[in-house]
Amino acid sequence: MTAGRAAIVGAGPAGSLLAILLARRGHRVDVYDLRPDPRDGKGDGEGRSINLGLSARGIRALRRVGLWETLRDRLVPMRGRVVHRPDGSAVFQAYGTDPAQILYSVDRDELTTLLVERAAAHEGVRHVFGVRCTGLDRENAGLTLADTVTGQARGVRADFVVGADGAFSAVRAAMQRGLPTDHRQDFLEWGYKELTIPAAPGGGPRVPLEALHVWPGDGALIVAHPNVDASLTATLFLPRTGVPGAPGFDDLTGGRDAVRFLGRVFPGFADLVPDLAAQYAAGPVGTLVTIRTSRWRHAGRVVLVGDAAHAVYPFYGQGMNAALEDCLVLDDCLARHPGDRAAAFGAYQRLRRPHTDILADLSERNFADLRDGTRSPLRLARRQADLALNRIFPTLWRPLYTMVSHTDMPYGEALRRARHQDRVLRWSGAALAAGVALAAVKLTSARRTSP
Ligand SMILES: Cc1cc2nc3c(=O)[nH]c(=O)nc-3n(C[C@H](O)[C@H](O)[C@H](O)COP(=O)(O)OP(=O)(O)OC[C@H]3O[C@@H](n4cnc5c(N)ncnc54)[C@H](O)[C@@H]3O)c2cc1C
């Protein structure tokens, strides 16, 4: 097999990075996306600015294509999270014991623009925006593409197709049609809305900028990432349908109701967003979905990357990082099987899928952790114990969050080690309790026998 023509559907983080990696392997690459060209600076066409937390896996991927240093100035470091308590106070929790363990807030459009520009600098790469993939001929790597304005459809052919078209992937649906596939799609009963905390009138930030801000609440959660212009993009998570006393998006239809509710649950938050009612009323409610699917490829003709293969809830901040890491794993598999694309795609799925399934579980679990755990004294104590042990044994003992966010250890390995650490803590806790009980028994019997 020599380098052939690849057709990538989706110019999000995964599709755009993979275009660069494939071009570097000598492939000619056509990238198709239904959105407008990000290089035109019009955002996603819906006026939303979405920012994401970039961590070790994503950084490693960007380093591989030489973009990390270029992007660095456009990022805001987040050294930990600031948890805003119901009494209005706030507490800072560092991400790790090592000051280098920081996350970075990145504007999604800036990231994809940079990746698209870098890919376009390769002679064999072509981008076509404003086209929707509506069909796939999986045996012949053929695509049907419809212009998003005129609806006019045309067919294109390649040597292989990459589905990088997100959680509701058209490529995945067409590739799997009629073939035995285990497919599980879990919608969270919560949705989300983006809100902007603007910079203060003087141009400075309204809250300390170099942190992720979290407002945990009863039946509601807000997470805010900082932006380079001193504003923050906050994501409000709420159940779609509420219960008496705890309304959801369906109940809070008017901006004023929302301001009253948010003022009650998150004291002080409404003061940070002067036009909260208008923003709330204007913003759409997004859905949150986990996708676990057993078929990531078809022969050597079609392969999935990123959310198309494994969408996860955003509560571990890993979806994009995992999507970028997929591209590295696929790139490595192509390098290891230079004569056999089917073998490369097979190896990629075998290596990657067990870990992204584990990431899906971790991301589901972290929802409860972010919502309730940041307030729970027991969980906070456990976190402190983890950090203390990590300080004493930096290589032997690492909190799960550290392994997931600050290393490129496979997710499954991180979970295995964290479970082992949990067992050690439990045993030492039990041993300590037994020791204390024994001492108490000895003391009591000594008192009884003493004159
Ligand atoms: C609220 C929220 C917060 C998040 N926060 C984080 C975070 O902090 N850190 C993190 O790592 N991840 C985060 N994520 C997850 C992250 O956004 C995704 O995992 C990441 O965008 C996946 O990249 P992708 O390239 O696979 O897919 P996408 O980003 O979804 O890109 C898919 C592309 O395909 C195009 N497309 C779709 N269908 C078609 C079609 N039929 N034809 C042509 N083009 C098509 C789309 O226009 C899009 O450009 C968050 C997600 C959400 C919802």
Side-chain angles (χ1 to χ4, degrees), residues 10 13-14 33-35 52-53 108 133 164-165 306-307 317-321:
D33 199 291
L34 58 82
R35 293 185 203 219
L52 306 163
R108 185 190 190 280
C133 168
D165 49 343
D307 277 14
Q318 280 295 306
M320 170 193 61
N321 288 287

Side-chain angles (χ1 to χ4, degrees), residues 73-132:
D73 305 348
R74 309 180 201 185
L75 306 174
V76 185
M78 298 186 290
R79 301 183 190 283
R81 59 190 180 196
V82 172
V83 178
H84 296 260
R85 292 168 165 159
D87 62 6
S89 65
V91 56
F92 176 77
Q93 301 171 348
Y95 275 131
T97 48
D98 178 345
Q101 289 171 348
I102 45 185
L103 307 185
Y104 294 87
S105 175
V106 60
D107 182 300
R108 185 190 190 280
D109 287 333
E110 280 221 75
L111 174 66
T112 46
T113 304
L114 193 66
L115 290 167
V116 166
E117 282 170 354
R118 178 56 62 95
H122 288 267
E123 214 170 275
V125 177
R126 196 172 60 107
H127 290 89
V128 184
F129 289 96
V131 288
R132 180 186 293 276

Side-chain angles (χ1 to χ4, degrees), residues 9-16 32-35 50-55 108 131-134 145 164-171 192 194 225 235 237 287-288 305-308 312 314 316-323:
V9 182
S16 300
Y32 304 102
D33 199 291
L34 58 82
R35 293 185 203 219
I50 294 181
N51 53 15
L52 306 163
L54 183 63
S55 52
R108 185 190 190 280
V131 288
R132 180 186 293 276
C133 168
T134 56
L145 300 165
D165 49 343
F168 303 103
S169 169
V171 172
Y192 70 94
E194 305 279 352
H225 285 89
T235 310
F237 296 95
T287 49
L288 298 166
V305 289
D307 277 14
V312 297
Y316 226 114
Q318 280 295 306
M320 170 193 61
N321 288 287

